[in-house]
Amino acid sequence: MPDPPEPVSAPAESAPALRRRTFIAATGVAAGGVVAGPSLLDAEQAAAAAVDSMQPAGGGTSSRVSLTVNGRRVTVTVDNRTSLLDLVREHLALPGTKKGCDAGACGACTVLVDGRRVNGCLTLAVRLDGAEVTTIEGLADGDDLHSLQEAFIEQDAFQCGFCTPGQIMSGVGCIREGHTGSPGEIREWMSGNICRCGCYVKIVRAVQQAAKVR
């Protein structure tokens, strides 16, 4: 007769599953050498500690921030993780600034902060208290378009138009910074703005035209 089958033991209780965000945080902490133990529980505890350490000194998950957007002073309460891009689009109803890659690689979200161009998706809103922000909606003077907006129209420097607000805002920054000495210089200093329609030649011409008007 065959031997009786071995008794099947109950499965051991599995370690608590990591949530997506804490797993990502745990991975980053582990890479930095903070997580010493091998268990998922240790990793999650370390991740939670890392997230807590990123909170503002006063605690809490939201903050009030006051800034000037397109000449208008606004004060809003936002989650501390809110980007400048989401602030202007979702909180201030200014959708002209586009959300493209949301990773700082395409330039569609370019705006000006205190006159300097930044990627809105990579800039935390809570760090801009007291700053002056200009989006594509605030570039014109009433019904009078900015010289670069006019140049984009005259040079036909867009097709689908999705990247155009970011291209124009970056172009304004490029002109203010004095990087318009040649087409090559303009291309280099505008290289962070991607046009999937391939209108680069006309975009460069538009920046050159606006720089001369200035």
Side-chain angles (χ1 to χ4, degrees), residues 80-113:
N80 291 328
R81 298 161 297 183
T82 301
S83 67
L84 174 58
L85 172 60
D86 286 338
L87 172 67
V88 298
R89 285 181 59 85
E90 308 299 334
H91 294 263
L92 303 181
L94 297 171
T97 304
K98 303 305 181 187
K99 178 175 285 192
C101 66
D102 208 23
C106 72
C109 63
T110 304
V111 296
L112 301 180
V113 175

Side-chain angles (χ1 to χ4, degrees), residues 25-47 50:
T27 304
V29 174
V34 178
V35 178
S39 73
L40 290 177
L41 182 58
D42 288 345
E44 180 154 9
Q45 289 173 340

